[in-house]
């Protein structure tokens, strides 16, 4: 018996918090982690008579995201009310967009599936809900507590086409989308704080069939790993069902990260009728061409473009360009170092080497790096102009990183400059030769190791400051010149 | 003093002929004397009002400039938020709700130095045409206490008619200012949609709601409108249209002004006494030099069904926030009730019958499978109603109709038949659907000395012309100066 082979069909819906200072419809702060219900007002608490007023920055961020993903920003979009009752939803409806979203179309190319282009359906704007706290209080068995700090935080929902065919494709899509959203500065990428949340629509169909199978919506996938695990689980579940002669039921399922399984949350029959209708408290959102152009102009160069430019303009190897464009902040840092040092490859070596290593050791982010790009460039210039040897430079780097002092400062204060002065070096060379007749004899006998030993002695006596090139030349000359 | 207009009181207070405290005390005394009979107020805030009046007197004594409504006592419909003052919308569900903020109109009245004396009774969440839907009992008409003052702003209309205050604020979603103004023999103005900020108004139907004043004279209405109108950063639907000094437009001259009369529309179902008063009123306008022009509003007869689809749809959503979770009434019938039970019991016990009826209607209208047939269709017809007016306003400057087809009816007379009650809004709802400004001014009495209102409707944001016509009419009559014998 030949088992039927199935093909998964996956589409994602991603909720992305926009990094505005204030909420989407009021002036309350969006800062995470404040004491419960400290960032609230009549508007985001849904008090009687309060009205929403749209945050311009949220719109500009949404437009930026839409442009970065190649979507078509609509000249007019309409806010709508999504009506349902839940305690963390203070108005009894969520202000969202429905029939006429902010942006349509767009795509994102992933490496999996041979450079697959995943289509986007739409991007719409909406407000986040508050948080229901079911645990962590002495009376949590009887009570749910509510924190409305998150109520009204601006979101965009990005909906993909059902273009993905594996859990790996889906999790790569999610990861790549996150990188871009963080890169363009609209999202902080902090999935643990819920800045980015993902639901997946999953179905399977026999390979070769064009019609879609019955899909389930899997909610609560808040890490790349969970996306991967939940989709794999759900695909297997559906295939098992079909293989066993059963059928997939259209429903909403919840992913339980501890068990790694999905569980039925509500059936199609229990699905909410959200009774969407246009939000009468907000006029249509009109975005004119000038605003789109301003957003385009304010858009940072996207990762792909920047990588290509690093290769072309700075002659960097592909690997370096890839590492340096992992985040916008790193790329920007690198580029400043490269420009100011006038040596792109050395800049790349320093940033990828000492800098990233030190950041990793300290568990720090590039955004928090205490060492200014200009300072690192200064250090590189000292090496390039032979003031510092590269080994001394590494020590200086460590001191700069901790103290915030400039390379020049450290070098002159601590007398670390490389010894280029031939007469001073000459004296050291002579001392070394006098003290090591055996080594000289070995060199003369053709043992190159012994020459290296002598250079090392010169370096040692100079406190590591001797310019190795000059030390070499002097030693050679002395050895050649003396009988 | 009780017969004084707001304009006169302001002048007297500003000039020192009378103190704000004296004014305030006189109107508070009057309110206390008649409110037991009328039930026009849900709350009278004497102490706070007197303190505010004293502060105005102190500022005058110190030589400071006073606002345009200095010392004018004002009654606020109980669906408008006043910081620290219980605001109930005449509903059990908000019986003890105290808002932490002022509605924009309340803040603007305060900035103009008006003195809030209390909150007026109304139909629950402004849903009704008779004030019988208040959780705190009906308001009685000062002209005939066995009759309705109209609704939903019945308390505000009755308060002004009974001289408890020379100025009151109401809200008008389908006629809730104009109809009670007509029933109570006072002036009631519904401004253009967007002319006045709705921030702090407990929403009934957001695309229709508009706040406006009740007064004795058109001049006072103009004064009040200038004080409360204008853009508001807290209301995205509040217009940035410039706010003129409306009182300055009251020239008394309406020579050549074209007044449209939709004869076919007002032909049927109008009470004989109302018709006689209306015919006399348009005769007076013609006598003042206005030109009467026959117009047609072919879709006006659909306005009632359209209104009750759009308004209930929006209401079903607007009232979802009253769920017992954060504020207001919460059912405690059963300690072990689950969330769903808590919701349904809270709303079942907290809302009155008419509010529940409209929530159910509106929920149905928006439901999957019915949305296109009801909500969407209603919006399309709403556009036709609006276009009717646009076409009419190509030929005329103002449109005249009776405010209500019937005079104030007896309390209890229509409560058994909601549809009959809805039909009484036939002449008022279309201005809300079209967003147009409209005013009701006293134009006589029908049988039994029951007040009749003349309704004038103007172009979008052309309250100036509307008020000029109404003022010109008022100059030729003395209906507005008559007071009920309470």
């Amino acid at each position: 018996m030949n088992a039927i082979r199935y093909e998964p069909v996956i589409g994602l819906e991603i909720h992305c918090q926009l990094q505005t200072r204030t909420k989407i419809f009021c002036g309350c702060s969006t800062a995470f982690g404040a004491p419960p219900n400290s960032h609230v007002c009549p508007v985001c608490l849904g008090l009687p008579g309060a009205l929403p007023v749209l945050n311009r920055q949220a719109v500009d961020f949404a437009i930026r995201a839409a442009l970065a993903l190649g979507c078509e920003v609509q000249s007019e979009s309409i806010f709508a009310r999504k009506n349902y009752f839940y305690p963390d939803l203070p108005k009894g409806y969520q202000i969202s967009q429905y029939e006429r979203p902010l942006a349509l179309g767009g795509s994102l190319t992933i490496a999996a599936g041979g450079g697959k282009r995943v289509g986007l359906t739409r991007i719409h704007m909406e407000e986040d809900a508050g948080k229901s706290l079911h645990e962590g209080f002495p009376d949590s068995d009887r009570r749910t507590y509510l924190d409305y700090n998150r109520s009204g935080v601006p979101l965009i929902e990005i909906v993909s086409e059902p273009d993905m065919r594996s859990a790996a494709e889906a999790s790569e899509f999610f990861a790549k989308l996150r990188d871009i959203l963080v890169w363009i500065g609209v999202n902080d990428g902090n999935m643990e704080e819920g800045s980015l949340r993902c639901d997946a629509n999953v179905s399977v169909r026999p390979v070769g069939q064009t019609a879609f199978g019955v899909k389930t919506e899997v909610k609560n996938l808040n890490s790349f790993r969970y996306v991967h695990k939940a989709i794999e689980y759900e695909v297997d579940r559906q295939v098992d069902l079909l293989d066993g002669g059963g059928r997939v039921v259209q429903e909403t399922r919840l992913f339980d990260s501890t068990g790694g399984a999905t569980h039925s949350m509500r059936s199609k029959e229990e699905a909410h009728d959200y009774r969407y209708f246009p939000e009468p408290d907000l006029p249509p959102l009109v975005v004119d061409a000038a605003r789109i152009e301003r957003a385009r102009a304010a858009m940072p160069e996207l990762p792909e473009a920047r990588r290509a430019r690093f290769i072309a303009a700075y002659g960097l190897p592909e690997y370096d360009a890839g590492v340096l464009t992992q985040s916008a902040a790193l790329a920007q840092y690198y580029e400043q170092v490269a420009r100011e040092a006038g040596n792109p490859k050395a800049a790349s070596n320093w940033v990828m080497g000492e800098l990233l290593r030190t950041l990793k050791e300290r568990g720090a982010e590039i955004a928090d790096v205490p060492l200014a790009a200009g300072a690192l460039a200064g250090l590189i210039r000292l090496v390039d102009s032979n003031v510092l040897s590269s080994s001394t430079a590494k020590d200086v780097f460590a001191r700069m990183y901790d103290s915030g002092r400039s390379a020049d400062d450290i070098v002159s204060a601590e007398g670390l400059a490389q010894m280029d002065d031939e007469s001073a070096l000459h004296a050291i060379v002579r001392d070394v030769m006098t003290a090591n007749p055996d080594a000289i004899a070995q060199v003369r006998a053709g043992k190159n190791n012994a020459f290296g030993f002598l250079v090392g002695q010169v370096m040692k006596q100079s406190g590591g400051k001797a310019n190795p090139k000059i030390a070499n030349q002097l030693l050679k000359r002395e050895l050649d010149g003396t009988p | 003093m009780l017969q004084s207009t707001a304009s006169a009181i302001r002048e007297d207070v500003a000039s020192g002929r009378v103190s704000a405290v004296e004014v305030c005390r006189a109107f508070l005394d009057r309110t206390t004397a008649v409110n037991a009979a009328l039930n026009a107020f849900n709350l009278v805030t004497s102490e706070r009002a007197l303190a505010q009046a004293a502060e105005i007197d102190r500022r005058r004594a110190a030589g400071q400039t006073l606002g345009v409504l200095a010392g004018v006592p004002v009654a606020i419909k109980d669906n408008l938020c006043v910081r620290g003052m219980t605001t109930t919308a005449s509903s059990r569900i908000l019986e003890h709700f105290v808002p932490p903020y002022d509605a924009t109109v309340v803040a603007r009245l305060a900035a103009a130095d008006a003195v809030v004396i209390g909150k007026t009774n109304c139909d629950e969440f402004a849903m009704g045409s008779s004030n019988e839907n208040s959780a705190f009992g009906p308001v009685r008409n000062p002209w005939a206490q066995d009759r309705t003052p109209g609704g939903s702003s019945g308390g505000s209309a009755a308060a002004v008619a009974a001289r408890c205050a020379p100025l009151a604020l109401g809200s008008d979603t389908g006629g809730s200012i104009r109809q009670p103004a007509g029933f109570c023999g006072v002036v009631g103005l519904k401004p253009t949609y967007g002319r006045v900020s709705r921030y702090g108004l407990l929403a009934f139907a957001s695309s229709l709601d508009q706040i406006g004043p009740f007064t004795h004279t058109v001049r006072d209405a103009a004064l009040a409108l200038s004080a409360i109108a204008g853009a508001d950063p807290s209301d995205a639907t509040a217009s940035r249209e410039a706010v003129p000094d409306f009182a300055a437009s009251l020239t008394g001259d309406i020579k050549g002004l074209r007044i449209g009369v939709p004869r076919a529309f007002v032909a049927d179902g109008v009470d004989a006494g109302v018709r006689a008063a209306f015919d006399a009123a348009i005769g007076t306008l013609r006598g003042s030099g206005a030109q009467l022009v026959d117009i047609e509003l072919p879709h006006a007869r659909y306005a009632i069904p359209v209104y009750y689809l759009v308004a209930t749809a929006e209401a079903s959503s607007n009232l979802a926030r009253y769920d017992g979770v954060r504020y207001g009434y919460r059912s405690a019938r059963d300690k072990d009730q689950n969330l769903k039970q808590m919701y349904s019991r809270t709303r079942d016990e907290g809302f009155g019958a008419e509010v529940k009826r409209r929530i159910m209607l509106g929920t149905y209208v928006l439901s999957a499978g019915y949305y296109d047939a009801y909500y969407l269709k209603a919006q399309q017809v709403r556009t036709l109603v609006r276009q009717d007016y646009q076409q009419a306003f190509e030929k005329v400057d103002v449109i005249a109709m009776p405010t209500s087809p019937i005079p104030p009816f007896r309390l209890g007379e229509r409560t058994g038949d909601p549809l009959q009650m809805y039909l009484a809004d036939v002449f008022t709802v279309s201005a809300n659907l079209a967003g147009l400004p409209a005013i009701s001014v006293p134009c006589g009495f029908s049988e039994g000395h029951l007040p009749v209102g003349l309704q004038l409707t103007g172009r979008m944001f052309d309250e100036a012309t509307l008020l000029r016509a109404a003022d010109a009419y008022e100059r030729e009559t003395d209906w507005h100066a008559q007071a009920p014998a309470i």
Side-chain angles (χ1 to χ4, degrees):
Chain A
M1 190 186 91
N2 266 344
I4 305 173
R5 284 178 53 237
Y6 289 97
E7 169 185 62
V9 175
I10 302 153
L12 297 184
E13 293 172 11
I14 286 151
H15 288 91
C16 158
Q17 284 185 355
L18 300 175
Q19 278 194 95
T20 51
R21 224 171 32 77
T22 58
K23 293 184 179 180
I24 184 167
F25 298 126
C26 63
C28 289
S29 166
T30 56
F32 184 84
N37 298 310
S38 59
H39 292 162
V40 293
C41 74
V43 175
C44 57
L45 283 178
L47 291 195
L51 294 171
V53 176
L54 184 58
N55 180 336
R56 287 200 190 102
Q57 181 67 62
V59 177
D60 286 332
F61 276 171
I63 293 172
R64 186 187 291 179
L67 293 176
L69 295 168
C71 310
E72 201 175 310
V73 176
Q74 305 298 294
S75 59
E76 187 176 292
S77 59
I78 308 276
F79 285 93
R81 292 188 185 175
K82 180 180 182 178
N83 295 285
Y84 65 96
F85 286 95
Y86 203 68
D88 63 19
L89 189 70
K91 298 187 294 296
Y93 55 85
Q94 178 194 28
I95 302 178
S96 180
Q97 295 185 312
Y98 185 56
E99 283 183 330
R100 298 184 56 189
L102 178 81
L104 294 172
S107 67
L108 188 61
T109 302
I110 54 174
K116 174 182 272 192
R117 180 188 167 283
V118 176
L120 299 179
T121 313
R122 56 187 274 159
I123 296 182
H124 68 250
M125 301 186 69
E126 60 188 25
E127 59 181 334
D128 212 339
K131 251 188 202 157
S132 299
L133 308 170
H134 301 292
E135 299 167 352
F137 295 90
D139 50 355
S140 282
D141 55 329
R142 293 184 292 116
R143 277 209 172 89
T144 294
Y145 284 80
L146 292 155
D147 177 5
Y148 293 100
N149 282 348
R150 201 180 65 179
S151 167
V153 167
L155 296 176
I156 49 175
E157 181 175 335
I158 302 167
V159 182
S160 88
E161 292 286 299
D163 285 350
M164 288 157 281
R165 296 289 174 268
S166 70
E169 286 182 17
S171 67
E172 191 199 336
F173 172 85
F174 186 23
K176 190 139 189 206
L177 191 62
R178 173 188 179 271
D179 286 349
I180 290 178
L181 294 169
V182 172
W183 179 281
I184 62 176
V186 305
N187 183 271
D188 65 13
N190 199 327
M191 317 237 290
E192 276 160 25
E193 292 174 6
S195 306
L196 213 54
R197 311 193 287 270
C198 179
D199 303 332
N201 288 302
V202 180
S203 64
V204 299
R205 62 184 173 192
V207 171
Q209 181 183 305
T210 46
F212 292 134
V214 175
K215 71 171 180 186
T216 58
E217 185 183 7
V218 187
K219 289 195 169 285
N220 196 27
L221 311 178
N222 300 332
S223 80
F224 309 127
R225 213 159 47 85
Y226 291 171
V227 166
H228 200 276
K229 275 176 80 174
I231 290 174
E232 277 198 329
Y233 176 90
E234 185 58 21
V235 167
D236 288 348
R237 189 189 68 87
Q238 292 187 12
V239 168
D240 286 352
L241 263 176
L242 295 173
D243 277 346
R247 47 187 202 89
V248 176
V249 181
Q250 187 178 331
E251 61 183 351
T252 304
R253 299 178 69 84
L254 200 64
F255 178 64
D256 169 19
S257 57
T258 42
T262 67
H263 301 289
S264 181
M265 191 171 139
R266 56 174 176 259
S267 69
K268 189 186 174 190
E269 288 69 33
E270 295 165 316
H272 295 298
D273 176 358
Y274 290 120
R275 291 173 285 119
Y276 281 100
F277 73 103
E279 164 59 284
D281 288 332
L282 290 168
L285 171 55
V286 175
V287 178
D288 60 16
R291 187 170 193 179
I292 295 175
E293 275 326 298
R294 280 198 302 277
R296 219 184 280 282
M299 174 89 70
E301 191 180 19
L302 292 172
E304 309 266 349
R306 203 156 205 179
R307 184 153 45 234
R309 187 167 57 78
F310 279 6
I311 294 168
Y314 298 133
L316 292 188
E318 225 168 278
Y319 175 78
D320 289 25
V323 172
L324 293 171
T325 53
Q326 274 165 1
S327 81
L330 182 64
Q332 200 176 341
Y333 186 93
Y334 160 72
E335 197 154 20
Q336 203 186 335
V337 177
R339 268 201 212 114
E340 292 193 24
N343 184 344
K345 181 57 189 155
S348 167
N349 292 344
W350 276 96
V351 172
M352 286 171 55
E354 291 306 296
L355 185 78
L356 287 184
R357 191 178 52 71
T358 310
L359 283 174
K360 200 175 168 190
E361 279 170 12
R362 312 281 169 98
E365 296 287 330
I366 183 74
D368 316 317
V369 68
L371 181 63
L376 179 54
L379 179 66
I380 293 170
R381 280 196 308 266
L382 290 181
V383 177
D384 283 349
S385 57
N386 292 321
V387 175
L388 279 182
S389 68
S390 49
S391 64
T392 313
K394 285 182 184 170
D395 293 340
V396 174
F397 175 91
R399 271 182 257 186
M400 289 168 73
Y401 191 96
D402 290 324
S403 67
R405 291 159 67 199
S406 76
D408 282 328
D409 201 20
I410 292 171
V411 166
S412 63
E414 303 189 16
L416 292 175
Q418 186 159 263
M419 284 175 67
D420 292 331
D421 180 354
E422 283 200 25
S423 59
L425 274 176
H426 211 192
I428 295 174
V429 167
R430 285 211 181 118
D431 285 352
V432 167
M433 290 181 71
T434 314
N436 296 286
D438 294 353
I440 292 170
Q442 285 177 2
V443 172
R444 294 236 161 91
K447 293 200 173 157
N448 277 337
N449 283 353
F451 184 75
F453 170 79
L454 290 171
V455 174
Q457 291 302 304
V458 173
M459 296 305 291
K460 194 177 169 189
Q461 282 216 18
S462 70
K465 292 183 287 182
N467 182 331
K469 216 165 156 188
I470 299 173
N472 257 297
Q473 285 167 356
L474 288 176
L475 255 176
K476 269 203 179 112
R477 217 169 18 182
E478 285 297 316
L479 284 166
D480 291 347
T482 31
Chain B
M1 181 191 304
L2 295 173
Q3 306 301 323
S4 296
T5 63
S7 318
I9 289 171
R10 195 273 168 190
E11 255 178 55
D12 287 351
V13 168
S15 67
R17 268 194 294 279
V18 64
S19 74
V21 168
E22 285 173 83
V23 172
C24 188
R25 193 159 278 141
F27 281 95
L28 284 171
D29 287 349
R30 171 68 178 170
T31 300
T32 312
V34 300
N35 195 46
L38 296 179
N39 195 29
F41 285 79
N42 286 345
L43 177 71
V44 178
T45 51
S46 307
E47 263 178 51
R48 176 175 165 149
L50 286 168
Q52 202 190 335
E55 172 64 12
I56 291 166
D57 288 336
R58 193 195 59 73
R59 284 178 34 220
R60 200 199 78 84
Q64 293 178 21
T65 316
L66 298 182
V68 294
L69 292 170
V72 175
V74 51
I76 306 286
K77 187 177 181 180
D78 206 12
N79 63 350
L80 286 161
C81 289
V82 182
R83 183 203 288 264
M85 216 180 265
T86 311
T87 296
T88 69
S90 292
S91 179
R92 287 266 171 246
I93 213 158
L94 287 179
E95 195 169 354
H96 305 293
F97 176 69
V98 180
Y101 66 101
D102 279 332
T104 297
V105 287
V106 170
R108 287 184 182 172
L109 286 179
D113 291 327
V115 177
V116 173
I117 63 164
K119 306 295 296 290
T120 55
N121 199 347
C122 55
D123 283 299
E124 184 177 4
F125 285 103
M127 296 180 187
S129 311
S130 70
N131 225 295
E132 291 165 294
N133 298 330
S134 167
F136 310 125
V139 177
R140 292 170 181 277
N141 192 316
W143 293 90
Q145 290 180 37
D146 59 339
R147 288 177 188 266
T148 170
S152 65
S153 313
S156 287
V160 172
R163 270 62 183 175
C164 299
L167 171 62
L169 289 188
S171 64
D172 188 317
T173 306
S176 281
I177 290 174
R178 292 159 288 156
Q179 185 250 25
F183 277 13
C184 290
V186 298
V187 174
L189 171 65
K190 181 200 93 73
T192 308
Y193 184 81
R195 178 62 98 177
V196 176
S197 165
R198 293 182 295 116
Y199 189 75
L201 167 67
L202 276 54
F204 160 16
S206 311
S207 74
L208 302 163
D209 294 343
Q210 190 60 193
I211 299 164
F214 290 90
T215 55
H216 293 303
T217 65
V218 173
R219 180 166 296 276
D220 279 1
L223 186 69
L225 180 61
S226 291
I228 61 173
D232 178 8
S234 299
D235 177 1
T237 65
S239 169
R240 290 198 186 85
E241 196 83 22
V243 180
D245 175 4
F246 291 112
S249 64
L250 309 181
T251 60
D253 180 10
I254 54 166
K255 282 193 187 64
L257 189 78
R258 297 164 305 169
I259 297 183
V261 183
R263 301 250 178 220
F265 183 46
V266 300
D268 297 330
V270 177
D271 169 86
V274 171
R275 163 153 301 281
F278 174 70
D279 287 342
I282 58 176
T284 302
L285 285 163
R286 187 173 46 207
S288 299
Q291 181 194 340
L292 298 185
V293 181
D294 285 358
I295 57 159
E296 292 198 28
L297 298 172
H299 300 92
R301 62 200 178 95
Y302 301 116
I304 291 279
V306 167
Y307 172 79
Y308 277 94
L309 292 171
V310 172
T312 56
E314 292 182 11
S316 71
S317 175
N318 281 331
L319 272 62
R321 67 186 63 194
Y322 307 111
D323 58 4
V325 173
R326 291 159 307 279
Y327 50 80
Y329 176 79
R330 179 192 290 186
S331 173
R333 198 146 38 108
D334 178 358
K335 275 203 155 46
D336 294 325
Q337 61 192 348
N338 64 29
L339 179 64
K340 223 169 173 179
Q341 288 165 332
M342 190 281 278
Y343 278 150
S344 72
R345 286 172 187 169
T346 292
R347 291 166 66 79
D348 185 37
E349 294 159 19
F351 289 135
E354 180 61 25
V355 170
K356 284 188 270 194
R357 179 169 17 246
R358 295 196 193 192
I359 290 173
M360 283 189 279
L361 266 172
T363 303
Y364 183 79
V365 162
L366 292 174
S367 295
Y370 299 99
Y371 180 89
D372 288 1
Y374 293 117
Y375 182 80
L376 206 60
K377 177 70 77 180
Q379 290 293 8
Q380 288 161 347
V381 180
R382 182 178 183 176
T383 303
L384 297 177
V385 170
R386 192 178 289 140
Q387 285 170 354
D388 279 357
Y389 275 104
Q390 276 165 3
Q391 279 158 17
F393 280 122
E394 285 169 13
K395 293 195 294 181
V396 301
D397 304 302
V398 167
I399 293 169
M401 282 187 265
T403 303
S404 164
I406 50 170
F409 46 90
R410 283 197 173 77
L411 291 169
E413 190 180 319
R414 293 184 168 228
T415 44
D417 187 350
L419 203 59
Q420 203 55 36
M421 191 78 95
Y422 295 172
L423 288 172
D425 299 339
V426 61
F427 295 140
T428 48
V429 294
S430 56
N432 300 81
L433 291 173
L436 302 169
I439 191 169
S440 178
V441 292
C443 75
F445 295 88
S446 66
E447 207 184 313
H449 209 62
L450 300 172
V452 177
L454 165 68
Q455 177 180 225
L456 299 175
T457 306
R459 292 190 183 90
M460 291 287 274
F461 295 104
D462 191 12
E463 285 91 350
T465 302
L466 178 70
L467 291 164
R468 177 159 59 92
D471 172 66
Y473 173 77
E474 191 181 88
R475 291 178 190 223
E476 298 300 315
T477 60
D478 69 348
W479 308 115
H480 64 281
Q482 299 193 27
I486 177 173

